[in-house]
Amino acid sequence: MEKLKLMSLYADFRKDLSYIEKELEKSVDSSSPVIRQASLHLLRAGGKRIRPIFVILSSKFGEYSMENVAKVAVSLELIHMASLVHDDVIDDSDFRRGFETVKSRWNNRIAMYTGDYIFSRALVSIGEIEMQTVHQLLAKTMLEICKGEIIQLEYQQRTDQTFRDYLRRIKRKTALLLSSSCELGALVSNASADTVGKLKRFGYFAGMAFQIVDDILDITSTDEKLGKPAGSDLLNGHITLPTLYIKDNPEFQPFLIRSFDGTLTEEERVQMLRYIRQSGAVEKAQEVSALYLKKAISEVQSLPDGDAKKALLQIAAFIGKRKF
């Protein structure tokens, strides 16, 4: 039902998304059968395609060109896909969205080569746009994402993290790419500087809220809906916002320690999730997400009315209420 609601928000732009989807398939083609199969496996596992839709919607505030929009959207989605492949290797994850990960179906080496190949294809796609500012922005975004991957590794299983540490981490993990999606979409359509700024900030605030909700769902959702065990973030050594609030509670400490050292039993996982859900930490995290969404909405309120503005506001509302 939730997926149907999201797709209904994309309805007016289905033709654009369909074109981008075909371009994505073309972009991951490879002379190597294994790399091609692994890339297509990842692509067909699906996803919300929120980066491409943000590029499309932001481009609607300027001189819309499907060709340029597709090149930007494909590049950003490929970067996102590549980061997922690498994340699954780092976290030793066997499933994502209910599908086998590339590293699970093949192996770590194939997964790393696939991620590197997809990253490279993203550069090829964006390289076809003759705008230096676009190239510079994408390069900076990729650099920050890579920094984020390193920081996530450094903070794995560390309990001395602060609220600020968490925000910095999710900024690089999610918000920057969504911010760049909006900014690049507006730039390639020659939107005004004021419009570019508002859309950039909308993407950032929406991205921060999106990741916080993701981290909440890892605690509150079911294994079936997540396509992986609920509480996987903790099992992989990652402290997210809900657990950040209670990490020092004496009652929670044993769960945290056993999650990190790999000795948590299935029964204890269920107890741990119940404890977090009843602690009030989820509600606190939801309040932070709501604040970011409020900021996101305020950025687009003054933009020209139309289907694109309406869709951005609807997606912002969806982010706050989504269940997957």
Side-chain angles (χ1 to χ4, degrees), residues 166 212 215-220 233 239-247 252 276 279-286:
Y166 170 77
I212 292 170
D215 294 341
I216 291 170
L217 290 176
D218 183 68
I219 299 297
T220 61
D233 286 332
I239 291 181
T240 58
L241 190 53
T243 52
L244 187 69
Y245 288 125
I246 59 170
K247 65 181 177 66
F252 184 65
I276 300 171
S279 69
V282 168
E283 288 76 13
K284 287 183 180 179
Q286 288 171 332

Side-chain angles (χ1 to χ4, degrees), residues 285-296:
Q286 288 171 332
E287 288 174 4
V288 178
S289 173
L291 284 173
Y292 275 114
L293 281 177
K294 186 177 179 180
K295 290 182 178 181

Side-chain angles (χ1 to χ4, degrees), residues 26-54:
K26 289 180 186 176
S27 68
V28 298
D29 194 17
S30 169
S31 57
S32 165
V34 175
I35 297 297
R36 182 173 64 252
Q37 290 166 16
S39 299
L40 286 173
H41 171 76
L42 179 66
L43 181 62
R44 290 168 182 169
K48 300 172 187 68
R49 299 294 187 257
I50 197 164
R51 291 148 200 86
I53 198 66
F54 272 10

Side-chain angles (χ1 to χ4, degrees), residues 6 123 128 186 203 231 241 248 287 294 302:
L6 182 61
L123 294 178
E128 295 173 2
L241 190 53
D248 297 323
E287 288 174 4
K294 186 177 179 180
S302 61

Side-chain angles (χ1 to χ4, degrees), residues 72 87 118 138:
V72 171
D87 273 350
I118 293 173
L138 189 70

Side-chain angles (χ1 to χ4, degrees), residues 153-212:
L153 272 175
E154 291 174 344
Y155 274 91
Q156 204 166 15
Q157 298 190 356
R158 277 181 55 178
T159 58
D160 60 342
Q161 298 176 48
T162 66
F163 181 67
R164 192 172 183 180
D165 292 330
Y166 170 77
L167 294 182
R168 283 176 173 172
R169 199 166 72 248
I170 68 169
K171 171 186 175 182
R172 290 185 169 99
K173 180 182 177 70
T174 301
L176 277 178
L177 201 55
L178 288 178
S179 177
S180 293
S181 298
C182 292
E183 186 176 5
L184 286 169
L187 281 173
V188 297
S189 64
N190 296 311
S192 69
D194 180 62
T195 297
V196 171
K198 288 177 180 177
L199 289 167
K200 173 186 177 180
R201 291 188 293 275
F202 168 84
Y204 170 74
F205 293 135
M208 294 294 282
F210 188 93
Q211 186 57 51
I212 292 170

Side-chain angles (χ1 to χ4, degrees), residues 49-94:
R49 299 294 187 257
I50 197 164
R51 291 148 200 86
I53 198 66
F54 272 10
V55 175
I56 291 169
L57 296 177
S58 298
S59 296
K60 297 290 183 179
F61 293 95
E63 302 162 4
Y64 191 80
S65 164
M66 186 67 252
E67 186 178 356
N68 284 339
V69 167
K71 288 170 184 173
V72 171
V74 166
S75 295
L76 292 166
E77 190 67 5
L78 289 177
I79 292 170
H80 171 62
M81 287 168 56
S83 69
L84 296 183
V85 179
H86 290 159
D87 273 350
D88 290 336
V89 172
I90 293 168
D91 292 337
D92 195 26
S93 300
D94 290 329

